[in-house]
C-alpha cells in the first residue's frame, strides 16, 4: 500500500454502523477519496461513497471495523486508493492494497497507480477482431476467445468454472507466452491456496499475479478488488507491453458486494433487490478492459448464475458487455462431459465466416446442427428407441453422440485427481477431426474411443 503521511486531521468518526462509517469534517472530501484513521501503528482505510450534508460523509471501511469508535481522528490521504506497481509484480500474491499475502517482502518500487485507472481516448482503443486459441476443443470450435475481448463463464455452483479458469491460465502461459492476472473476488481461502499451489507446481506462477479479496473481508474490499486487479493488468499491458489474460472469479460476488454497500448507504433497492446503480457499477469495471497499440487485455470472467436462472438482472447486465458467452450446463456435467460447456447455448460474436474463415464456420455450424437434431430427438429415443428413427436421423444421432464425447477433454490441472493426463489440441486438429466425424469417417468406431482424449489422430492413452 502507498505510504500515507499523518498530517492534520480533517474530521473524526461520528458513527460506526458495521462497515459503514459516518465521518464529520469541516470540508467534505471528494467521492472516492481514501481516508484513514490510526489504531496504534495500524492504519484503517475508508473510501468516501456518499455526501450526507456540508459536514458529513458516509464511507466504507476497507478493514475490519471491530475496533473503531466514535471520536477517532480521520486523515485525508490526498488521493483515491492507490497500489504500488513495478516489474516485480509477476509471481506475487497481493491484497487490495498491493500488500503481499505470500510471505515475501513488499514491492521495492515506489511507483503507484490509482485503482480507478483512466480511460484511453477512443482513437487509441483497438477493436477486438482476432481469435485467441486456448487448446480446448469445444471452446476453440464453437465459442472462441476474442483477443482483447471479454468472455463469460456462466454456471451454477459445482459445474467447473474455477477449474476452467485454472486451465486458461496454464494455456495462455504455455501457448501464447503471455501473463495472467487473477482477481479473486470474495474467494474462499481454500480455493485461493489451491490455485497458488497449482500454478507453482505447473511452473507458470512466475508469469502470473494473484489478487485476492477474501470472502470474510469488508464489502468495500470485495467491491474494489476487481479494480485493483485491473490496475495491475493495465500496468502490464501499457508499461511492460505484455499480452495479458485477466481472470475474474467471481463477478457475481462483485455485484453482491455492491448490493451490500448500496443497502448500507440507504439506497432503495431496485429489481429483485439489486442496487439501482447495478448497470453503472458493472460498466465501470467492464469498460476498462480494452486493447490499445501497446497490448491487449483479454478477460475471462466466471459468473455465478443464481438458481441457474439466466434471466437474473445481474446476469443479463453482465451479458451485455461480453464478446463470448460460455454456458456451463449441469446436464452436461451429469453425463460426465467435461468441460461441461453447452454447445448450443454458448457462442461468440466473432464466430462469423468473415473472422474465423468459411472452413471453421461451416464445420462449427455442422457440429451444432448435428447436436441440435440429437437434442430434438432425445424424447423420441427415450420413449420409442433408436429403431423408430429414420435411417438419416439415426446416422445424425450416432455422429452427434460421438461428437459430444469428442468435445470432452482431460485437463492438465485435474490430472492429479482424475489420473488422466491433460492434453491440448490445436484448432487445426479440432477442425480436421470434426470434419471427419461429419463426413462419416469415424462411423465404425465405438463411442468410448471418442471420450476424454485429445486429437483423434493421436493414439488413445
Amino acid at each position: 500500500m502507498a505510504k500515507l503521511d499523518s498530517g492534520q486531521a480533517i474530521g473524526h468518526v461520528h458513527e460506526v454502523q458495521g462497515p459503514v462509517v459516518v465521518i464529520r469534517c469541516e470540508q467534505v472530501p471528494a467521492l472516492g477519496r481514501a481516508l484513514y484513521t490510526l489504531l496504534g501503528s495500524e492504519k484503517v482505510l475508508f473510501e468516501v461513497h456518499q455526501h450526507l450534508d456540508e459536514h458529513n460523509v458516509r464511507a466504507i471501511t476497507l478493514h475490519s471495523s471491530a475496533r473503531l469508535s466514535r471520536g477517532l481522528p480521520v486523515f485525508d490521504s490526498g488521493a483515491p486508493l492507490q497500489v504500488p506497481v513495478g516489474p516485480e509484480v509477476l509471481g506475487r500474491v497481493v491484497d487490495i492494497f498491493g500488500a503481499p499475502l505470500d510471505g515475501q517482502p513488499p514491492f521495492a518500487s515506489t511507483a503507484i497507480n490509482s485503482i480507478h485507472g483512466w480511460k484511453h481516448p477512443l482513437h487509441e482503443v483497438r477493436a477486438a477482431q482476432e481469435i485467441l486459441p486456448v487448446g480446448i476443443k469445444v471452446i476453440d470450435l464453437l465459442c472462441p476467445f476474442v483477443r482483447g475481448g471479454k468472455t463469460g463463464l456462466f454456471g451454477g455452483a459445482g459445474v467447473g468454472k474455477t477449474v476452467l479458469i485454472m486451465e486458461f491460465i496454464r494455456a495462455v502461459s504455455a501457448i501464447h507466452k503471455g501473463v495472467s492476472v487473477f482477481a479473486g473476488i470474495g474467494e474462499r481461502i481454500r480455493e485461493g491456496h489451491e490455485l497458488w499451489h497449482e500454478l507453482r507446481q505447473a511452473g507458470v506462477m512466475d508469469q502470473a499475479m494473484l489478487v485476492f479479496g477474501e470472502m470474510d473481508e469488508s464489502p468495500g474490499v470485495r467491491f474494489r478488488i476487481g479494480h485493483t486487479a485491473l490496475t495491475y493488468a493495465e500496468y502490464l499491458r501499457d508499461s511492460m507491453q505484455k499480452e495479458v489474460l485477466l481472470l475474474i472469479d467471481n463477478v457475481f460476488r462483485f455485484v453482491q458486494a455492491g448490493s451490500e454497500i448500496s443497502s448500507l448507504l440507504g439506497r432503495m433497492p431496485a429489481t429483485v433487490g439489486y442496487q439501482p446503480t447495478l448497470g453503472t457499477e458493472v460498466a465501470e469495471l467492464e469498460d476498462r478492459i480494452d486493447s490499445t497499440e501497446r497490448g491487449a487485455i483479454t478477460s475471462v470472467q466466471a459468473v455465478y448464475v443464481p438458481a441457474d436462472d439466466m434471466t437474473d438482472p445481474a446476469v443479463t447486465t453482465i451479458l451485455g458487455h461480453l464478446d463470448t458467452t460460455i454456458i456451463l450446463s449441469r446436464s452436461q456435467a451429469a453425463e460426465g462431459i467435461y468441460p461441461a460447456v453447452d454447445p448450443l447455448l454458448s457462442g461468440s460474436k466473432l464466430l462469423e465466416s468473415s473472422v474465423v474463415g468459411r472452413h471453421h464456420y461451416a464445420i462449427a455450424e455442422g457440429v451444432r446442427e448435428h447436436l441440435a437434431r440429437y437434442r430434438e430427438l432425445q424424447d423420441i429415443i427415450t420413449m420409442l428407441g433408436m429403431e423408430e428413427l429414420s435411417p438419416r436421423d439415426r446416422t445424425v444421432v450416432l455422429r452427434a453422440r460421438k461428437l459430444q464425447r469428442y468435445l470432452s477433454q482431460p485437463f492438465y490441472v485435474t490430472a492429479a485427481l482424475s489420473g488422466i493426463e491433460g492434453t491440448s489440441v490445436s484448432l487445426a486438429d479440432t477442425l480436421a477431426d470434426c470434419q471427419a466425424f461429419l463426413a462419416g469417417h469415424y462411423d465404425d468406431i465405438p463411442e468410448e474411443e471418442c471420450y476424454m482424449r485429445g486429437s483423434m489422430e493421436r493414439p488413445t492413452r
Side-chain angles (χ1 to χ4, degrees):
M1 185 180 69
K3 186 179 185 296
L4 302 174
D5 296 321
S6 301
Q8 185 70 30
I10 65 163
H12 64 273
V13 175
H14 183 61
E15 294 180 21
V16 181
Q17 301 172 355
V20 172
V21 176
V22 176
I23 299 169
R24 177 164 291 176
C25 39
E26 288 300 316
Q27 186 174 356
V28 295
L31 294 175
R33 184 66 66 91
L35 311 178
Y36 65 98
T37 190
L38 298 171
L39 294 174
S41 60
E42 180 186 352
K43 289 186 173 75
V44 177
L45 275 90
F46 315 106
E47 185 178 49
V48 178
H49 276 258
Q50 196 174 57
H51 290 169
L52 297 177
D53 54 43
E54 63 270 23
H55 292 299
N56 292 282
V57 299
R58 274 201 184 107
I60 301 294
T61 177
L62 300 177
H63 294 84
S64 170
S65 58
R67 292 188 292 149
L68 296 178
S69 59
R70 297 181 66 181
L72 282 171
V74 175
F75 304 90
D76 188 353
S77 70
L81 185 63
Q82 298 174 315
V83 292
V85 295
E88 68 270 31
V89 300
L90 289 174
R92 300 300 301 272
V93 185
V94 300
D95 63 12
I96 186 175
F97 311 112
L101 295 174
D102 52 9
Q104 301 299 313
F107 298 137
S109 174
T110 56
I112 54 175
N113 284 355
S114 166
I115 68 164
H116 299 286
W118 62 283
K119 194 168 180 63
H120 285 277
L122 191 60
H123 67 272
E124 291 186 12
V125 178
R126 295 291 173 263
Q129 291 290 336
E130 184 182 340
I131 297 302
L132 192 74
V134 290
I136 299 174
K137 292 180 287 188
V138 64
I139 290 174
D140 287 345
L141 175 68
L142 300 176
C143 40
F145 278 15
V146 181
R147 182 178 181 268
K150 308 178 191 77
T151 297
L153 300 177
F154 292 83
V159 292
K161 297 186 296 296
T162 302
V163 170
L164 258 178
I165 278 182
M166 292 167 65
E167 188 73 6
F168 293 148
I169 294 176
R170 191 213 65 80
V172 166
S173 177
I175 298 172
H176 301 286
K177 309 303 179 187
V179 298
S180 303
V181 177
F182 177 88
I185 302 178
E187 191 78 347
R188 302 174 185 88
I189 190 61
R190 170 187 58 80
E191 291 180 344
H193 195 262
E194 288 174 357
L195 176 62
W196 182 36
H197 281 284
E198 287 279 358
L199 297 181
R200 292 171 69 188
Q201 290 170 8
V204 297
M205 186 62 210
D206 59 345
Q207 293 299 308
M209 181 184 190
L210 309 183
V211 186
F212 285 115
E214 295 162 24
M215 190 174 276
D216 63 341
E217 297 201 64
S218 157
V221 171
R222 289 180 273 121
F223 187 63
R224 291 302 188 201
I225 194 69
H227 293 271
T228 295
L230 255 170
T231 301
Y232 284 112
E234 288 168 342
Y235 172 80
L236 292 168
R237 177 196 64 192
D238 297 336
S239 298
M240 299 184 67
Q241 299 184 359
K242 296 283 190 180
E243 179 86 33
V244 183
L245 177 67
L246 173 67
L247 304 115
I248 304 177
D249 188 6
N250 184 307
V251 180
F252 186 76
R253 296 195 195 113
F254 162 75
V255 172
Q256 282 183 312
S259 182
E260 284 185 55
I261 290 173
S262 183
S263 298
L264 292 167
L265 295 177
R267 297 187 186 122
M268 184 70 70
T271 312
V272 199
Y274 287 111
Q275 60 271 40
T277 53
L278 173 64
T280 301
E281 290 169 2
V282 172
E284 284 177 353
L285 186 73
E286 297 285 358
D287 281 0
R288 286 176 61 186
I289 303 170
D290 55 28
S291 301
T292 68
E293 291 179 347
R294 299 189 190 99
I297 299 176
T298 303
S299 173
V300 179
Q301 308 167 17
V303 185
Y304 170 71
V305 180
D308 292 341
D309 179 14
M310 289 297 292
T311 64
D312 183 88
V315 174
T316 55
T317 300
I318 296 165
L319 265 170
H321 292 272
L322 302 176
D323 301 296
T324 298
T325 305
I326 299 174
I327 310 295
L328 298 178
S329 163
R330 205 170 294 281
S331 61
Q332 290 281 101
E335 292 185 36
I337 307 297
Y338 290 100
V341 176
D342 189 312
L344 301 181
L345 296 180
S346 304
S348 174
K349 292 178 181 177
L350 264 66
L351 188 60
E352 299 177 356
S353 58
S354 59
V355 178
V356 299
R358 292 182 180 179
H359 180 62
H360 182 164
Y361 182 78
I363 293 173
E365 287 300 295
V367 169
R368 275 214 176 98
E369 286 172 9
H370 277 63
L371 294 174
R373 184 59 178 160
Y374 174 41
R375 189 167 293 185
E376 289 173 6
L377 295 170
Q378 275 183 326
D379 288 342
I380 296 175
I381 295 170
T382 302
M383 291 185 292
L384 304 176
M386 288 278 287
E387 295 75 14
E388 297 302 315
L389 299 180
S390 68
R392 184 178 185 282
D393 279 344
R394 198 176 307 148
T395 299
V396 167
V397 167
L398 291 173
R399 289 176 184 172
R401 287 177 60 87
K402 291 175 184 177
L403 279 166
Q404 185 184 48
R405 282 151 181 75
Y406 169 74
L407 293 177
S408 66
Q409 186 169 339
F411 284 167
Y412 289 93
V413 297
T414 59
L417 299 174
S418 66
I420 305 173
E421 184 181 352
T423 182
S424 177
V425 182
S426 69
L427 177 58
D429 285 349
T430 300
L431 293 175
D433 288 343
C434 290
Q435 187 175 31
F437 276 110
L438 296 174
H441 296 167
Y442 295 119
D443 284 356
D444 296 331
I445 69 171
E447 292 177 4
E448 294 75 21
E449 287 191 22
C450 306
Y451 180 66
M452 279 292 174
R453 62 176 297 161
S455 168
M456 294 298 291
E457 298 302 317
R458 300 176 191 170
T460 54
R461 49 189 186 279

